[in-house]
Amino acid sequence: DQQVKQNSPSLSVQEGRISILNCDYTNSMFDYFLWYKKYPAEGPTFLISISSIKDKNEDGRFTVFLNKSAKHLSLHIVPSQPGDSAVYFCAAIGFGNEKLTFGTGTRLTIIP
Amino acid sequence: DGGITQSPKYLFRKEGQNVTLSCEQNLNHDAMYWYRQDPGQGLRLIYYSQIVNDFQKGDIAEGYSVSREKKESFPLTVTSAQKNPTAFYLCASSPGPRLGEKLFFGSGTQLSVL
């Protein structure tokens, strides 16, 4: 049972444009959400997070939006740069499920 | 500088053989984790440890074993009972207080079967 879903396995975006990566979850007990970025043959690195008491969190070019009623979050990258090409994992954690649950990832390719 | 060190980078296992993947951290984190990544799949939790001399099974613990004799070290043994061991293995640690929050990952070990 996939509790965290990233339905787009891949996404291509022109350099300088906005990249929008989406994530859906089914467990209403999740209360903290994270995005990780992963390059090939490397470990993931933490990118940005959001608590369920917020609906937006911003860090430089990266913004995460949370829609609790829709059980949906999205990561916006503006402007997209070639170094943003990587696999992005959405993850969630919550009461009653205290282990981080990962989505299947979205491969983002930035086209120069 | 602080971080998580995994070794080796690449490992090959023969049929019926046990192999051990090393993970060392100097971040002074209490919690450590082992994840497995397969192509097109998310990271799946194998084992985790919140304190020295204690560890818990994750979602896919069968065929694996761990130990936590020191705070800095959390080795993973892939036993012959693991029938599909080929995968990219990631070790991680976290400062807490919530389990699994803001993980710091090592660079991974690619395990292949000969």
Side-chain angles (χ1 to χ4, degrees):
Chain A
D1 177 29
Q2 193 72 27
Q3 297 188 67
V4 179
K5 302 177 185 177
Q6 294 176 258
N7 293 318
S8 298
S10 62
L11 176 68
S12 294
V13 174
Q14 205 79 28
E15 182 179 357
R17 299 287 186 100
I18 182 171
S19 295
I20 300 176
L21 294 89
N22 294 304
C23 178
D24 297 294
Y25 61 96
T26 57
N27 189 337
S28 58
M29 298 302 288
F30 286 145
D31 64 355
Y32 194 75
F33 304 87
L34 305 91
W35 285 94
Y36 284 84
K37 176 180 179 179
K38 184 182 182 301
Y39 293 117
E42 291 186 14
T45 54
F46 169 76
L47 193 57
I48 193 170
S49 63
I50 188 167
S51 165
S52 61
I53 62 173
K54 294 185 173 181
D55 54 19
K56 177 183 174 182
N57 189 27
E58 197 169 350
D59 184 2
R61 295 187 298 115
F62 303 91
T63 303
V64 56
F65 295 92
L66 176 62
N67 183 333
K68 289 186 290 294
S69 60
K71 293 191 178 66
H72 176 84
L73 66 156
S74 60
L75 173 68
H76 293 210
I77 306 173
V78 182
S80 299
Q81 299 174 354
D84 296 331
S85 294
V87 176
Y88 290 79
F89 289 99
C90 170
I93 193 169
F95 292 108
N97 187 8
E98 293 287 351
K99 295 172 289 184
L100 203 58
T101 300
F102 285 87
T104 53
T106 296
R107 181 179 300 279
L108 176 64
T109 302
I110 304 303
I111 304 166
Chain B
D1 53 333
I4 299 177
T5 302
Q6 287 188 244
S7 62
K9 184 77 173 173
Y10 300 95
L11 187 59
F12 296 91
R13 193 191 91 165
K14 295 180 182 178
E15 291 286 340
Q17 185 183 41
N18 292 354
V19 292
T20 297
L21 285 62
S22 170
C23 178
E24 304 278 333
Q25 56 104 354
N26 60 4
L27 299 168
N28 200 33
H29 289 169
D30 287 319
M32 296 187 74
Y33 312 79
W34 276 103
Y35 284 88
R36 168 179 171 145
Q37 185 191 10
D38 294 279
Q41 296 196 36
L43 281 65
R44 292 183 291 168
L45 183 63
I46 304 172
Y47 267 99
Y48 63 99
S49 168
Q50 293 178 270
I51 196 169
V52 174
N53 292 323
D54 186 51
F55 48 82
Q56 309 294 331
K57 291 182 179 180
D59 300 318
I60 53 166
E62 185 174 350
Y64 299 97
S65 66
V66 293
S67 63
R68 186 87 186 275
E69 297 177 2
K70 298 186 300 181
K71 185 176 184 177
E72 302 79 16
S73 178
F74 191 42
L76 173 75
T77 297
V78 184
T79 74
S80 57
Q82 172 50 243
K83 298 307 179 188
N84 186 21
T86 297
F88 190 58
Y89 290 86
L90 287 159
C91 178
S93 69
S94 68
R98 292 183 71 183
L99 191 69
E101 189 173 294
K102 288 188 182 174
L103 298 174
F104 292 76
F105 284 90
S107 57
T109 294
Q110 176 64 50
L111 175 63
S112 302
V113 177
L114 289 176

